[in-house]
Amino acid sequence: MGRSGFSFFRGHHRRKPLRLFSTLALSAVIALCAATAWKLRTAENAAPANRAWGNVETRQTSLAFEASGRIAALHKEEGESVQAGELLGRLDDEALRISRRQAAAELKRLQAQAALAHEGTRQEDIDAARANEAAARAQLEYASATLKRQQDLVPAGAASRQMLDDARRAEHAARESLTAAAAQRAAAEKGPRAQEIAAADAAAEAAAASLAALDYQIHRGAVLTAPSAGIIRARLAEPGDMASPSRTIYQLSVADPKWIRAYLTERQLGLVKEGTLATVFTDTVGPVDGTVAFVSDTAEFTPKTVQTEDLRASLVYEVRITVRDPENRLRLGQPVTVEFAQPRSSPHD
């Protein structure tokens, strides 16, 4: 056998072991995958149907003053717990209080004017208007008598034409004065018109609204309170800084009520619904009672932050449980185990 034939025979025998090794490796991988799938399926079926895994939800609120101004005081530091309604800080409100005193004085003035409009004209003013009318009438009578005498004396040459003209002008002026006095007396007797009373009321109401707005800025806009119980995660300003509605002063992590976010498999959907009672456990704390508040109607892949016992990414449904934790045993972001109350079986089952 020549050299070329011997080389072919030797190469042919070398490739057979390689093919055999590849076939064995592929078979081992397939077997391993099958075993893993069987193990995961077995673990899934073995896990209790009323159990789920998740985390304590981390909810954060950014807090800012409603009004603008210089910060006078901040009362909380990072990491401190706060209760709903607790005072966190306040602004320098001296300018607002000065404006409030001005608004309060203006309100009193306009309220007094409105009260006068409702009361109408005082009797003293009506009597004065009547007296003015009587005086104007007497003046007209005198001017009329003077004019008549001048008219009688002019033809006899006892009075000049100029004196007659002056008497006529005086009589006309007295008549106009009587007309004006009579109008003033009538207005005094009737009192303010309905439109004038409405205008006075509206002015007083506008002043009251301005005062209320200043009160709101002093007692609400210039103070910062906690909207809910929680923990101060960040303090982003200091006394002396300028604040505005767009500037965050504190970041608050909401702690009451706490939310648990967990995930259900499809076979658990029939056991859990809104209102289902649940118990929350951790490796160090437990049990804490809760209630299912929300069950998603849309499937999603298991988030990377959630690991169940089967350690397999699958289609799951989000569920949220509300728990009361006044002792703050559960920590935000903490992994938890949730067990749902089993539905009571019917006596006829």
Side-chain angles (χ1 to χ4, degrees):
M1 181 182 299
R3 179 178 297 274
S4 58
F6 178 76
S7 299
F8 171 79
F9 179 78
R10 185 174 57 182
H12 178 70
H13 281 275
R14 283 180 178 177
R15 285 194 293 270
K16 287 184 65 178
L18 290 176
R19 291 177 181 176
L20 179 60
F21 177 78
S22 299
T23 302
L24 292 176
L26 180 60
S27 300
V29 170
I30 294 174
L32 179 60
C33 291
T36 301
W38 177 83
K39 182 178 180 180
L40 292 176
R41 177 62 64 182
T42 302
E44 179 182 2
N45 293 332
N50 67 328
R51 183 176 297 174
W53 292 264
N55 296 83
V56 181
E57 183 79 356
T58 301
R59 294 179 291 151
Q60 187 165 282
T61 303
S62 297
L63 306 181
F65 288 98
E66 290 189 34
S68 298
R70 191 172 300 279
I71 299 175
L74 293 176
H75 304 302
K76 291 296 180 179
E77 301 291 343
E78 294 182 359
E80 292 186 351
S81 298
V82 299
Q83 300 300 318
E86 186 174 353
L87 179 65
L88 304 181
R90 60 180 179 84
L91 299 178
D92 184 353
D93 58 3
E94 183 60 27
L96 291 173
R97 294 187 181 275
I98 293 173
S99 297
R100 188 195 182 283
R101 289 195 290 271
Q102 294 175 338
E106 179 66 9
L107 175 61
K108 288 182 179 180
R109 184 183 71 84
L110 293 174
Q111 285 177 337
Q113 288 185 351
L116 288 175
H118 281 280
E119 291 177 2
T121 308
R122 293 181 300 177
Q123 186 61 43
E124 294 85 349
D125 294 334
I126 295 175
D127 293 341
R130 289 172 178 172
N132 289 335
E133 182 184 13
R137 182 174 287 106
Q139 184 66 29
L140 176 60
E141 291 174 356
Y142 175 78
S144 299
T146 302
L147 175 61
K148 188 176 183 308
R149 283 197 306 270
Q150 295 299 326
Q151 289 173 341
D152 293 339
L153 293 174
V154 168
S160 65
R161 180 68 62 179
Q162 180 64 41
M163 296 175 65
L164 178 60
D165 292 341
D166 290 343
R168 284 174 178 166
R169 283 193 293 271
E171 191 273 344
H172 178 74
R175 191 175 300 278
E176 293 295 329
S177 296
L178 177 59
T179 301
Q184 290 177 355
R185 185 265 309 161
E189 291 177 344
K190 290 182 179 179
R193 292 178 294 179
Q195 296 87 337
E196 293 173 337
I197 296 175
D201 288 340
E205 290 176 3
S210 297
L211 183 62
L214 287 170
D215 283 336
Y216 181 87
Q217 292 185 38
I218 292 171
H219 300 294
R220 295 288 299 276
V223 298
L224 187 61
T225 57
S228 60
I231 300 172
I232 301 296
R233 288 304 181 192
R235 171 171 160 168
L236 305 177
E238 295 297 330
D241 289 345
M242 293 301 295
S244 68
S246 61
R247 179 178 182 180
T248 299
I249 305 301
Y250 286 112
Q251 288 182 342
L252 176 69
S253 292
V254 180
D256 185 30
K258 286 189 173 74
W259 289 359
I260 306 298
R261 188 187 300 272
Y263 294 87
L264 304 175
T265 62
E266 185 174 0
R267 67 189 182 92
Q268 293 176 301
L269 286 178
L271 302 176
V272 179
K273 60 183 65 177
E274 285 83 355
T276 298
L277 299 180
T279 305
V280 178
F281 301 90
T282 71
D283 293 338
T284 57
V285 176
V288 179
D289 294 332
T291 305
V292 175
F294 166 78
V295 178
S296 175
D297 57 358
T298 304
E300 57 182 290
F301 283 102
T302 306
K304 294 181 179 180
T305 56
V306 176
Q307 291 185 352
T308 60
E309 287 185 348
D310 56 9
L311 300 177
R312 179 170 61 89
S314 61
L315 288 177
V316 292
Y317 298 83
E318 179 185 339
V319 60
R320 188 174 71 230
I321 302 98
T322 301
V323 297
R324 288 291 179 180
D325 185 22
E327 299 177 359
N328 199 29
R329 293 185 295 168
L330 298 175
R331 301 300 179 179
L332 301 179
Q334 185 177 18
V336 298
T337 300
V338 182
E339 288 189 0
F340 302 99
Q342 294 281 10
R344 296 182 178 180
S345 59
S346 173
H348 302 286
D349 291 347

